[in-house]
Amino acid sequence: MKEQAYILACQDPTFKDIASRFHSMYFLATPHRGADLARTLGNILKVTYGQKQYVNELEPSSGLLFRINDSFRHHSEGLQLWSFYETVQSNLIVSNALVVDKASATMSYAHERIALLNADHRGVCKFDDPSDPNYKTLRNAFSTTVDSITSEVFRLKQEASRTDLRCLRALVGVSDLPKDDLIALQDARISGSCEWFSAKKEFQDWRCSWPSAPSILWLSGNPASGKSVLSSYIVDHLQEQCLGHSYFFFKHGTETMSSVSDCLRSLAYQMACSNFEVRKTLLALHADGVAVDKDNERSVWRKLFLEGVFQVKVNQPHYWVIDALDECSKAQSFLSIFGSIESQTPLRIFITSRKTQEIERAFVQLGPKIMHLEILASDTLEDIKSFIESRIDRLPVEGDESKSNLCNKILAKSDGSFLWVRLVVQELEHTWSEEAIEEVLHEVPADMNLLYMRALDNMSRMSRATKLAKAILMWTVCAFRPLTISEMQSALKIDIGETVSSLNRSISSICGQLVFVDQRSRIQLVHQTVRDFLIQDDLDSEFAVRKVEGHAHIAVKCLDLLSKTQFKPTRTQKQKLAIPQGPAKDAALIDYACTFFSDHLYRASSLESEPWDALYEFLDRNVLAWIEHLANTGDLYYITRTAINIKAYLARRAKYFPPIGQQVRTVDAWSVDLIRLAAKFRTALLTSPSSIYWLIPPMCPSESIISRKFTSPHRGLAVKGSVEKTWDDCLTLINYLEGQTAAIAHGDRFFAVGLSTGKIILYHTISGQVHCVLEHMERLKILEFGDQDKVLASSGIRKVRIWDLSNCQQIWLFETSYQALALAFTSENECLLAASQGNYVICWYLSNGSEKVGIPWHDGFKEPSKIQQRSPPTRAAFSPDRNLLAVTYRGRPILLFDLALEIFFGECFRSSGSVQTKLVSHYPVVAMEFQPSSEIGLLIASYGDGELIAYNPRTLELRYRAANLHAHTLACSPDGRTLVTGSSSGTIRVFDFDGFGGEILTPIYRIDAYEEGIKSLKFSNDSLRFIDIRGSQCRVWEPAVLVRKDLEDCDESEISDPSPMVNASVKMAEGNIKAEITAMVCDSDGDVVFCGKEDGSVVACLAQDVNKDWLLYKHSSNLAITSIAWGQREHIIASVDESSRIVIQKLVKHQTMWSASEVLTNQRFAGSVCGLLLSPTNDNLLIDGKESYELWTIQGQKLGSKTFLPQKHQKLISHPLQLSAFVSFELDKVHIFNWSDFKELTSPEGVKLNRPSELSVKTSAMRISYHGNNILVELTRKNGDQSSTKLECWQTSDIMTSATSITPLPGFEMLGPCIRYIIAVNGNTLLFLDTDLWVCSLDLKNFAITPEAKRHFFIPADWLSMSGDIFFEFTLKNEFVFVKKNEVLIIRRGMDYSETISLSKAQQWLFNHANNLHLAVP
């Protein structure tokens, strides 16, 4: 029967996907409840063919039909059901009757559609012709289903498109296409204009001659000469020719439109929207967890383009149109990026800008890649004439001759300036006579600045609107993005107290035509030159905008708005409310204020007290509401940006005010906390923004400002245990029990640690969890990631291995005659370069494993260095572009070699002078690295006498030196801004590259330690963290000092210089590191926690004070405890270590503390042990092994055992209802045994579990939790490195010795993918940890009817062990006990906060289908 087939498909993971694709089911006279004629049919068949059991099951009293109908009711919720019943009696020879009556043919489900067919049972599916009424009834039903599926598929495609767009936007940090600016320029362009440019030969060559013609076409011109309008024309032209293109319009001072990073990310987003392969490539980067530093153009270029877009093979070039490069904050840096584009890259770039010396110099450096055109006044005369003619009819002139004369007069005075003509024509439109026209033309100056001054003078005469115009111009000029009409109205109300209802109609007149409203109701300046004019320091006008004062004023108004009580609505702890909103007059400006108040504050004068007071009041009153508001937008970038701005503002303010006092300490503390909140609690905030009120403050260090201010001892979540006092810059400490650390590497998604044993452990950079373990088979010397972490190279003394990280398999092994000193992958992982101690470079090609003949470097030595080397090289380093190689020999200067030309390049000397001076013995170079910055590009070297020197590798000059640093190892950040050094005494120093050219090292941070020396340091690719190895340990550091303000984000003239950065110094925790907890159990009351540790000790602590534990007893040293069991009745504790030694101890209680009194058992189990289970009477111990389980007395006497195959996964539990028995859960059956003598109480076949048989092969793990009426079994199935989880719920009352088979409760399988761990079953409530690390609950009794869960609180990711596991207990006090590495933490009042999560079967069906759909962007 199809109902039963569908039920089985829903329950079987193999066919679950097929079941999820069912949309509708049609039943034509189907006997759901049986048929009265079934018995008659059975008798007939019994006589003719013999008895048929399936016919008996069709009787109305059939138990099978009842079970099928009852189960189908729960599985069919997401289906459309159509039931048709017969109305004509069938001729049964002896009588006429309905074979299946209506009551049996219908199911009476709420979502069932019922219709009749005018036919007997045989005729319900037979039709004479298309006009048959029965045929039409079914046809119409089918048509309804098809329409429903079609609309659903269309909706799903749209949803998939939105999902992909969300992922794409999250990766690149762009929310939309820049089409508004394009539309505004298109509207300004007159039909037929600009066509002169497309006819130019240079443009034709640029567009058509790829790849022979230069790839970059630069068009320069005077301000207001029509460059932007011409750019819009180029975009339209490319679109008409169906050529792939992207565009960007720079606007100085406008957020998201002024930096190199803004432009690159927008271009990448547009390319992904228009090209499926590009989109797929970038989405793959997002799925791999690649993070892009949105403020670092080098990171954006490398990750989005070099490792993303340019990896896509295309046959046709893509065109970029970039307008107003002169308004970019770092134009020269932008052009230097283009210099690295290979000539064969299918990219054509069109750029417009003013012709400044800096830009012209940068273009010249691009050499033959560029063509240059300049707009002349004669080029645009016809276009200007067309514009005038299009508006001439609005002017008070009659006759063609008069119109022509007026047109020529305007042209003669325009000097090729479109903007001048536009403003003059706008003024002429308000004249009423030819004399007035002549007067205007006579008075209007040809110079744009004089024209602007005239507009300001006219505005001064409008006394009633002067105050309004001044406010509008200040907000428009200083705003970091164009304000909408509603935002400006709100700004004017809170600024000057005026309500302007018709602002969109009057704003241009109020502001002398210097502003306009675009199609998105945004207020814009008519041209960038208006802004330049208004902010001139020497402008003598009441409308002049003083930027510093303007930013301070806006900062105060925004902070006042955010400090209002209306922004922080009343809420209760147990209820999540909507996004807080202020009153209607203020609400429009809230988004802008939340996003940009700190940018205005940063540019405000640090001498003024009003911005400072407003900032303090905001942080004191409404900072949590502000965090919630930003979290609701789905982007926490502005939380970090605000922290950076506040920190920079404080640094500038410290020049004038002493950095002391309560207010300073509070603001400084928030600048640190905000950075940490956005980083550590990102997932929690985005999942539940309101968690910032009740859940996050208790998770923060006790001395942090957010914890001190918002953690309450009486309400909200309470975390008891060793919570840090301050934010720890050391995120992770990894201690290796076997071997010493030897090498490290950091990539985009992973970091790797190599050990002296040859083992390589890969960790996920975000979670810190182990990804895989590799075996190099010899001591590691070097680790190096390839592009996008696709491959990893590991090098020892004589072997180099290449690993494919998609499957963690070795792909190449290269034997070497000499040890490699440095490794580097070339672009796209084409080959691996190795600098060898044999004085040559080896190149291995990864496509086929071939080796290029070694490139010797010593052959190119010239006097005075042409000396036969008697010792091998000691150090080597490749430059970031792989063009230079630096090599050191003992007693020699640093030698540089050009790998591209394969020649000796030069030498870097510590001292200058004669040849004799250069030949003297040098201290050896102990560490050396190139700085990855195209602007600076230094070579940093540390010498044995403690001196650190920076060389310019292009000129070989010594640029900087510092003594007594003793850097045993060093690393430069990928953004080229930071250097970190490590000494042989364990001290870490962090320096900024400062000064002109970045050639001065300024210390900003120091970590003092008195342990083993630092062996190696590596930065993460986002430059925000670094890792070090020393001895047997690896540490991951994330100092807040690495998150700092980029001064190039704004005009330096707008702000004062900051005070020198304080060299912050911290001390690393000293003393012995507590051993990690590897097993944990609580007593039945939850008063005591017993823990087993990795050093073999078993300790106890009180739940009231988990910070203090005491030793009970200890196994052998360095053998971790793997499982622990507690017997409450007899006060017995049992533990087992890695060697399978089992110790059972009798404990005694002295007041509140336990201590060991008697060893009951101390012996080894013959095999690996998975777990221990004490009987309810505490007289026997059940040992769960990998290949068998045994029952012992607590004195160690074996009572019985059972052996099974290793792949036969099973779990042991004490029977919840029969205390004298225990249950063995296997994949396909259950066995029940007696606790006293191991006698099996069920048959040898056991109780069959009605679950798919294929699970017996593919399941790799099983977990069980039980309480009262329910037993929950969690099954984890592995598929390569992917995993999927299925959840089943069994009733305790079904698991009895008399049962032959049992069936799980329906509806719980959909929860499998949502659950990471089951915590407990408390009555009818299931507590579990979801995949986002939130503790959730659901009602087992009502879940089938109401498929929803509640989310209560989260646990931070750093509570997980390196393997991704976590130990937990739920006590009778409703407290959660968690283990955080070597600490026990108690969560109290965890269930007080809740949010409801719905999970219906329909949602699951949509989710399954959405995964198979692709993004389609028009």
Side-chain angles (χ1 to χ4, degrees):
M1 299 175 70
K2 59 185 176 183
E3 295 105 314
Q4 180 68 4
Y6 180 75
I7 293 170
L8 294 176
C10 290
Q11 296 174 342
D12 191 335
T14 304
F15 304 105
K16 189 174 181 180
D17 182 63
I18 297 177
S20 70
R21 296 175 181 273
F22 277 75
H23 181 275
S24 301
M25 282 191 180
Y26 284 73
F27 298 98
L28 274 64
T30 302
H32 299 293
R33 295 181 175 84
D36 293 331
L37 295 176
R39 183 172 300 175
T40 302
L41 177 61
N43 292 332
I44 296 173
L45 293 176
K46 184 176 180 180
V47 175
T48 55
Y49 300 103
Q51 187 171 0
K52 303 296 181 181
Q53 181 61 34
Y54 66 85
V55 177
N56 296 335
E57 298 293 352
L58 293 177
E59 294 183 10
S61 60
S62 170
L64 175 63
L65 288 179
F66 176 80
R67 290 192 296 273
I68 291 175
N69 290 332
D70 185 63
S71 181
F72 187 65
R73 179 187 304 276
H74 301 294
H75 287 89
S76 65
E77 181 183 344
L79 295 175
Q80 287 190 11
L81 302 178
W82 295 79
S83 295
F84 299 87
Y85 61 92
E86 60 197 75
T87 56
V88 178
Q89 295 181 342
S90 298
N91 185 358
L92 303 177
I93 302 177
V94 294
S95 65
N96 294 333
L98 294 175
V99 176
V100 179
D101 59 19
K102 179 180 178 181
S104 181
T106 58
M107 295 175 284
S108 301
Y109 292 173
H111 55 288
E112 178 187 15
R113 299 189 181 189
I114 301 173
L116 63 85
L117 294 175
N118 189 23
D120 60 15
H121 192 71
R122 295 181 60 188
V124 292
C125 57
K126 297 178 181 179
F127 316 103
D128 297 330
D129 53 62
S131 62
D132 189 323
N134 292 336
Y135 173 82
K136 290 182 178 180
T137 299
L138 283 175
R139 182 200 61 191
N140 293 341
F142 289 151
S143 179
T144 301
T145 297
V146 171
D147 290 344
S148 176
I149 292 175
T150 301
S151 61
E152 191 70 12
V153 168
F154 177 75
R155 190 182 66 80
L156 289 172
K157 286 183 177 180
Q158 288 185 318
E159 180 62 31
S161 297
R162 288 191 288 268
T163 300
D164 282 356
L165 280 175
R166 283 194 295 269
C167 294
L168 193 60
R169 289 166 178 168
L171 175 68
V172 302
V174 173
S175 60
D176 205 353
L177 304 174
K179 54 188 176 183
D180 296 319
D181 301 286
L182 177 64
I183 292 173
L185 292 168
Q186 289 170 334
D187 291 342
R189 191 174 74 245
I190 301 300
S191 177
S193 62
C194 301
E195 294 180 355
W196 57 272
F197 186 76
S198 59
K200 285 186 174 288
K201 181 180 184 302
E202 291 84 354
F203 175 78
Q204 295 288 343
D205 290 343
W206 172 79
R207 198 202 71 182
C208 303
S209 301
W210 176 76
S212 58
S215 59
I216 300 176
L217 178 57
W218 173 34
L219 178 69
S220 62
N222 293 327
S225 59
K227 298 185 297 296
S228 297
V229 173
L230 184 57
S231 295
S232 73
Y233 168 76
I234 300 300
V235 173
D236 288 347
H237 177 82
L238 295 172
Q239 187 168 353
E240 290 172 0
Q241 300 298 319
C242 298
L243 298 173
H245 63 279
S246 306
Y247 54 90
F248 190 82
F249 301 93
F250 279 108
K251 285 191 176 181
H252 179 73
T254 302
E255 178 74 8
T256 74
M257 297 187 68
S258 60
S259 73
V260 177
S261 174
D262 295 333
C263 177
L264 292 176
R265 291 184 286 109
S266 178
L267 294 172
Y269 179 75
Q270 294 176 66
M271 294 181 74
C273 288
S274 61
N275 186 298
F276 174 74
E277 293 301 324
V278 171
R279 180 166 63 252
K280 186 168 67 173
T281 300
L282 293 185
L283 287 174
L285 293 179
H286 181 267
D288 290 339
V290 173
V292 177
D293 184 355
K294 297 178 177 60
D295 291 328
N296 186 330
E297 64 272 8
R298 296 285 167 181
S299 173
V300 172
W301 178 253
R302 180 173 60 84
K303 293 185 179 182
L304 294 186
F305 289 96
L306 298 183
E307 299 177 4
V309 174
F310 294 160
Q311 300 296 316
V312 178
K313 304 299 182 183
V314 294
N315 298 323
Q316 296 296 325
H318 189 89
Y319 296 84
W320 284 357
V321 178
I322 301 172
D323 178 58
L325 182 62
D326 51 290
E327 297 184 28
C328 172
S329 58
K330 298 166 68 175
Q332 291 172 286
S333 175
F334 194 22
L335 293 176
S336 68
I337 289 177
F338 292 160
S340 64
I341 300 176
E342 298 179 2
S343 59
Q344 297 302 313
T345 301
L347 187 63
R348 316 292 285 171
I349 306 172
F350 175 79
I351 302 174
T352 71
S353 76
R354 305 180 195 181
K355 194 175 181 181
T356 65
Q357 289 184 352
E358 294 78 9
I359 291 179
E360 187 172 15
R361 191 181 306 115
F363 271 116
V364 169
Q365 293 178 358
L366 296 178
K369 292 185 177 182
I370 180 177
M371 290 185 293
H372 178 218
L373 285 174
E374 186 169 5
I375 296 181
L376 304 176
S378 58
D379 292 328
T380 58
L381 278 179
E382 287 300 320
D383 290 348
I384 295 176
K385 183 178 180 181
S386 297
F387 172 77
I388 298 172
E389 291 175 346
S390 69
R391 307 286 288 270
I392 199 77
D393 290 337
R394 305 181 186 181
L395 305 182
V397 291
E398 297 291 339
D400 293 340
E401 185 176 354
S402 298
K403 292 179 179 180
S404 177
N405 290 336
L406 178 58
C407 181
N408 291 332
K409 289 179 181 179
I410 298 174
L411 279 174
K413 205 171 182 179
S414 68
D415 195 27
S417 173
F418 272 99
L419 180 59
W420 185 92
V421 172
R422 174 184 170 187
L423 294 175
V424 168
V425 170
Q426 285 180 344
E427 186 165 351
L428 292 177
E429 288 176 352
H430 293 85
T431 60
W432 307 102
S433 66
E434 293 184 8
E435 289 76 14
I437 290 176
E438 290 297 331
E439 183 180 355
V440 169
L441 291 178
H442 177 72
E443 293 178 357
V444 170
D447 181 82
M448 289 302 304
N449 282 354
L450 295 177
L451 181 62
Y452 295 151
M453 194 67 215
R454 184 174 182 271
L456 298 186
D457 291 339
N458 290 336
M459 291 162 55
S460 297
R461 300 187 187 101
M462 301 168 58
S463 57
R464 294 184 179 179
T466 299
K467 182 179 178 182
L468 192 59
K470 289 169 62 178
I472 293 173
L473 288 177
M474 182 200 66
W475 281 86
T476 304
V477 169
C478 293
F480 289 98
R481 64 162 172 79
L483 297 179
T484 64
I485 286 293
S486 59
E487 287 174 335
M488 182 62 79
Q489 288 172 323
S490 178
L492 295 174
K493 184 63 178 178
I494 65 175
D495 188 2
I496 60 176
E498 293 192 11
T499 303
V500 188
S501 301
S502 57
L503 187 62
N504 59 326
R505 296 194 301 270
S506 58
I507 189 169
S508 293
S509 299
I510 293 172
C511 297
Q513 309 300 326
L514 297 181
V515 301
F516 71 98
V517 180
D518 66 15
Q519 289 189 340
R520 286 185 61 186
S521 296
R522 299 179 308 173
I523 301 167
Q524 307 265 16
L525 294 171
V526 293
H527 196 266
Q528 174 62 24
T529 53
V530 177
R531 182 182 187 275
D532 297 338
F533 172 76
L534 290 174
I535 64 176
Q536 292 179 105
D537 292 334
D538 58 353
L539 178 61
D540 183 16
S541 172
E542 61 181 318
F543 298 102
V545 177
R546 310 304 176 196
K547 291 187 294 182
V548 174
E549 291 83 350
H551 285 302
H553 185 78
I554 294 177
V556 170
K557 294 304 177 183
C558 289
L559 286 167
D560 288 346
L561 173 62
L562 298 180
S563 299
K564 290 182 178 180
T565 55
Q566 292 89 341
F567 185 61
K568 183 182 179 181
T570 304
R571 61 174 68 243
T572 62
Q573 181 180 339
K574 296 185 179 182
Q575 184 179 15
K576 175 181 179 291
L577 300 181
I579 303 173
Q581 295 290 341
K585 61 184 176 62
D586 295 341
L589 197 63
I590 282 180
D591 282 339
Y592 182 87
C594 285
T595 304
F596 296 115
F597 82 84
S598 68
D599 290 282
H600 290 291
L601 180 71
Y602 172 67
R603 288 161 176 80
S605 171
S606 51
L607 286 170
E608 293 187 30
S609 61
E610 192 176 6
W612 172 260
D613 294 337
L615 173 64
Y616 180 78
E617 182 182 5
F618 160 71
L619 294 175
D620 187 59
R621 296 183 61 182
N622 273 2
V623 64
L624 297 190
W626 169 74
I627 294 173
E628 181 188 28
H629 184 93
L630 289 178
N632 271 301
T633 67
D635 188 358
L636 305 184
Y637 165 76
Y638 287 102
I639 295 179
T640 303
R641 184 182 179 96
T642 296
I644 296 171
N645 285 332
I646 291 176
K647 188 179 289 290
Y649 175 68
L650 276 174
R652 289 193 295 107
R653 198 172 184 274
K655 288 184 63 178
Y656 309 103
F657 300 97
I660 57 176
Q662 178 60 38
Q663 285 192 353
V664 175
R665 289 194 296 270
T666 298
V667 174
D668 184 55
W670 273 115
S671 71
V672 174
D673 280 18
L674 291 178
I675 292 174
R676 296 301 192 180
L677 288 171
K680 185 170 183 177
F681 302 109
R682 174 181 176 81
T683 301
L685 278 171
L686 294 179
T687 301
S688 175
S690 59
S691 63
I692 189 62
Y693 293 97
W694 316 113
L695 306 182
I696 292 178
M699 298 284 189
C700 296
S702 58
E703 293 183 4
S704 64
I705 184 69
I706 185 173
S707 177
R708 287 188 285 113
K709 187 172 178 60
F710 296 108
T711 299
S712 170
H714 306 296
R715 61 185 182 90
L717 194 74
V719 181
K720 300 300 180 183
S722 182
V723 178
E724 299 89 349
K725 290 185 177 181
T726 59
W727 295 106
D728 191 355
D729 288 340
C730 182
L731 297 183
T732 305
L733 167 62
I734 309 171
N735 194 38
Y736 301 97
L737 300 179
E738 297 181 4
Q740 298 285 298
T741 56
I744 52 173
H746 209 302
D748 288 322
R749 296 177 292 141
F750 309 110
F751 69 89
V753 179
L755 303 181
S756 57
T757 60
K759 184 177 292 185
I760 306 168
I761 304 98
L762 259 70
Y763 302 90
H764 288 278
T765 56
I766 297 177
S767 65
Q769 296 173 17
V770 175
H771 175 70
C772 66
V773 178
L774 311 174
E775 290 288 350
H776 184 80
M777 308 303 290
E778 65 174 346
R779 184 184 181 91
L780 270 303
K781 295 293 185 181
I782 308 173
L783 294 173
E784 184 73 18
F785 282 102
D787 287 349
Q788 302 179 52
D789 295 359
K790 292 182 178 179
V791 292
L792 172 72
S794 59
S795 174
I797 299 176
R798 291 290 185 269
K799 292 182 175 65
V800 175
R801 301 178 189 269
I802 311 295
W803 307 89
D804 183 348
L805 297 187
S806 64
N807 54 21
C808 297
Q809 298 296 316
Q810 177 183 305
I811 53 178
W812 297 113
L813 168 62
F814 303 113
E815 302 280 351
T816 59
S817 302
Y818 298 92
Q819 179 181 326
L821 297 175
L823 298 177
F825 285 95
T826 60
S827 178
E828 301 183 25
N829 301 322
E830 181 182 2
C831 64
L832 175 67
L833 300 176
S836 166
Q837 279 189 332
N839 295 297
Y840 56 83
V841 175
I842 308 172
C843 179
W844 291 295
Y845 291 92
L846 271 60
S847 59
N848 53 21
S850 63
E851 177 181 324
K852 184 178 179 179
V853 178
I855 307 170
W857 61 63
H858 62 276
D859 292 346
F861 285 1
K862 300 179 181 180
E863 295 291 352
S865 303
K866 191 174 181 181
I867 302 172
Q868 181 65 36
Q869 302 300 326
R870 298 188 179 182
S871 61
T874 58
R875 296 283 187 275
F878 291 100
S879 64
D881 59 7
R882 313 299 187 249
N883 288 332
L884 287 179
L885 172 69
V887 182
T888 66
Y889 293 86
R890 188 173 300 277
R892 301 299 307 159
I894 298 174
L895 308 179
L896 290 173
F897 301 90
D898 190 318
L899 297 180
L901 301 177
E902 299 185 10
I903 62 172
F904 172 71
F905 185 75
E907 299 166 305
C908 294
F909 293 91
R910 289 183 70 183
S911 59
S912 60
S914 63
V915 172
Q916 288 78 13
T917 304
K918 295 177 183 178
L919 290 176
V920 297
S921 177
H922 287 243
Y923 281 94
V925 175
V926 295
M928 179 173 59
E929 183 160 334
F930 283 92
Q931 181 197 29
S933 170
S934 60
E935 290 88 355
I936 308 171
L938 300 175
L939 173 62
I940 313 298
S942 177
Y943 290 85
D945 61 351
E947 188 174 33
L948 187 77
I949 293 183
Y951 299 99
N952 186 327
R954 293 182 288 269
T955 64
L956 307 179
E957 295 177 294
L958 189 154
R959 304 299 300 172
Y960 177 82
R961 66 196 314 160
N964 300 319
L965 292 184
H966 299 283
H968 182 71
T969 182
L970 51 85
C972 291
S973 62
D975 63 8
R977 298 174 56 183
T978 310
L979 173 73
V980 60
T981 67
S983 72
S984 58
S985 63
T987 299
I988 295 175
R989 290 183 173 93
V990 181
F991 301 86
D992 253 356
F993 288 101
D994 285 334
F996 180 76
E999 295 167 344
I1000 297 177
L1001 291 176
T1002 302
I1004 60 173
Y1005 189 73
R1006 176 186 175 118
I1007 303 170
D1008 293 320
Y1010 304 96
E1011 300 184 0
E1012 297 179 81
I1014 310 295
K1015 293 180 182 178
S1016 184
L1017 291 159
K1018 291 291 180 183
F1019 263 100
S1020 62
N1021 283 348
D1022 61 7
S1023 303
L1024 296 180
R1025 65 173 61 173
F1026 57 85
I1027 56 177
D1028 79 70
I1029 54 173
R1030 65 184 86 193
S1032 60
Q1033 297 176 350
C1034 171
R1035 286 176 169 85
V1036 181
W1037 300 91
E1038 192 175 68
V1041 71
L1042 294 181
V1043 184
R1044 54 198 183 277
K1045 187 70 179 174
D1046 186 354
L1047 290 178
E1048 293 181 334
D1049 284 348
C1050 64
D1051 293 334
E1052 294 185 15
S1053 60
E1054 294 183 20
I1055 59 172
S1056 60
D1057 294 329
S1059 61
M1061 182 174 287
V1062 178
N1063 182 15
S1065 179
V1066 298
K1067 287 189 177 181
M1068 208 163 58
E1070 299 180 22
N1072 295 328
I1073 300 174
K1074 294 175 63 176
E1076 286 199 14
I1077 297 172
T1078 53
M1080 186 263 289
V1081 68
C1082 296
D1083 70 350
S1084 59
D1085 298 325
D1087 294 328
V1088 183
V1089 183
F1090 300 99
C1091 301
K1093 298 192 174 184
E1094 63 178 350
D1095 62 356
S1097 61
V1098 177
V1099 302
C1101 63
L1102 298 178
Q1104 293 179 345
D1105 188 5
V1106 292
N1107 292 328
K1108 298 178 181 179
D1109 60 29
W1110 64 92
L1111 180 68
L1112 297 175
Y1113 60 92
K1114 191 170 184 179
H1115 288 237
S1116 299
S1117 297
N1118 296 327
L1119 287 177
I1121 305 299
T1122 58
S1123 183
I1124 193 169
W1126 168 249
Q1128 181 77 22
R1129 178 172 175 176
E1130 299 296 331
H1131 303 164
I1132 291 174
I1133 188 169
S1135 57
V1136 59
D1137 60 31
E1138 290 177 313
S1139 69
S1140 298
R1141 177 167 294 280
I1142 297 174
V1143 176
I1144 305 177
Q1145 286 265 5
K1146 176 79 172 180
L1147 302 185
V1148 294
K1149 190 174 184 180
H1150 302 282
Q1151 295 181 346
T1152 59
M1153 297 181 64
W1154 294 91
S1155 62
S1157 67
E1158 179 185 359
V1159 179
L1160 302 178
T1161 297
N1162 186 344
Q1163 60 183 337
R1164 197 180 305 275
F1165 178 77
S1168 298
V1169 178
C1170 300
L1172 302 175
L1173 182 66
L1174 281 165
S1175 64
T1177 56
N1178 298 168
D1179 51 3
N1180 292 333
L1181 176 70
L1182 190 59
I1183 304 165
D1184 184 5
K1186 284 190 175 180
E1187 299 182 2
S1188 66
Y1189 49 89
E1190 296 182 3
L1191 183 65
W1192 291 5
T1193 66
I1194 58 173
Q1195 289 76 27
Q1197 179 184 354
K1198 181 177 177 180
L1199 298 178
S1201 65
K1202 183 176 180 180
T1203 304
F1204 48 85
L1205 297 175
Q1207 64 269 25
K1208 282 283 188 179
H1209 300 280
Q1210 49 81 40
K1211 281 292 180 180
L1212 305 172
I1213 63 171
S1214 188
H1215 200 296
L1217 302 182
Q1218 299 181 24
L1219 298 183
S1220 61
F1222 67 86
V1223 181
S1224 169
F1225 257 92
E1226 298 179 7
L1227 290 175
D1228 54 356
K1229 55 189 174 182
V1230 169
H1231 295 273
I1232 303 177
F1233 297 89
N1234 197 318
W1235 266 115
S1236 60
D1237 56 8
F1238 206 85
K1239 178 181 178 181
E1240 182 167 0
L1241 303 179
T1242 51
S1243 64
E1245 294 77 19
V1247 180
K1248 181 182 178 183
L1249 299 177
N1250 293 325
R1251 60 157 64 118
S1253 59
E1254 58 91 28
L1255 282 177
S1256 62
V1257 178
K1258 296 186 178 181
T1259 298
S1260 63
M1262 187 190 327
R1263 296 183 179 91
I1264 296 180
S1265 183
Y1266 59 93
H1267 185 279
N1269 295 327
N1270 303 292
I1271 292 180
L1272 280 131
V1273 180
E1274 178 185 2
L1275 300 169
T1276 303
R1277 299 173 57 232
K1278 289 284 185 180
N1279 182 16
D1281 60 349
Q1282 303 293 321
S1283 65
S1284 60
T1285 305
K1286 178 181 179 181
L1287 185 70
E1288 294 174 327
C1289 184
W1290 310 82
Q1291 287 187 307
T1292 305
S1293 57
D1294 290 344
I1295 306 176
M1296 293 297 171
T1297 57
S1298 58
T1300 58
S1301 65
I1302 57 176
T1303 302
L1305 298 175
F1308 288 90
E1309 60 277 357
M1310 74 171 68
L1311 280 173
C1314 307
I1315 293 180
R1316 188 182 183 107
Y1317 292 114
I1318 294 175
I1319 296 176
V1321 180
N1322 184 24
N1324 286 320
T1325 302
L1326 169 65
L1327 299 173
F1328 63 91
L1329 190 68
D1330 74 4
T1331 52
D1332 290 327
L1333 302 183
W1334 279 81
V1335 173
C1336 305
S1337 66
L1338 62 84
D1339 188 338
L1340 293 170
K1341 186 176 181 181
N1342 298 316
F1343 181 75
I1345 302 173
T1346 308
E1348 63 182 24
K1350 291 183 178 180
R1351 185 164 50 209
H1352 300 288
F1353 65 93
F1354 66 92
I1355 63 169
D1358 59 358
W1359 290 18
L1360 299 177
S1361 68
M1362 287 298 167
S1363 62
D1365 294 327
I1366 189 168
F1367 302 104
F1368 44 77
E1369 291 277 350
F1370 182 71
T1371 71
L1372 294 178
K1373 297 179 179 180
N1374 288 333
E1375 295 178 349
F1376 294 85
V1377 183
F1378 287 96
V1379 168
K1380 177 188 176 184
K1381 295 181 174 60
N1382 54 15
E1383 303 168 337
V1384 175
L1385 300 175
I1386 307 290
I1387 302 293
R1388 294 173 179 161
R1389 300 192 293 271
M1391 304 292 287
D1392 289 357
Y1393 177 92
S1394 64
E1395 290 179 305
T1396 300
I1397 315 163
S1398 296
L1399 182 64
S1400 67
K1401 183 161 185 177
Q1403 289 173 315
Q1404 183 70 20
W1405 187 87
L1406 298 180
F1407 175 80
N1408 292 339
H1409 282 271
N1411 289 340
N1412 300 321
L1413 301 174
H1414 301 291
L1415 173 67
V1417 179

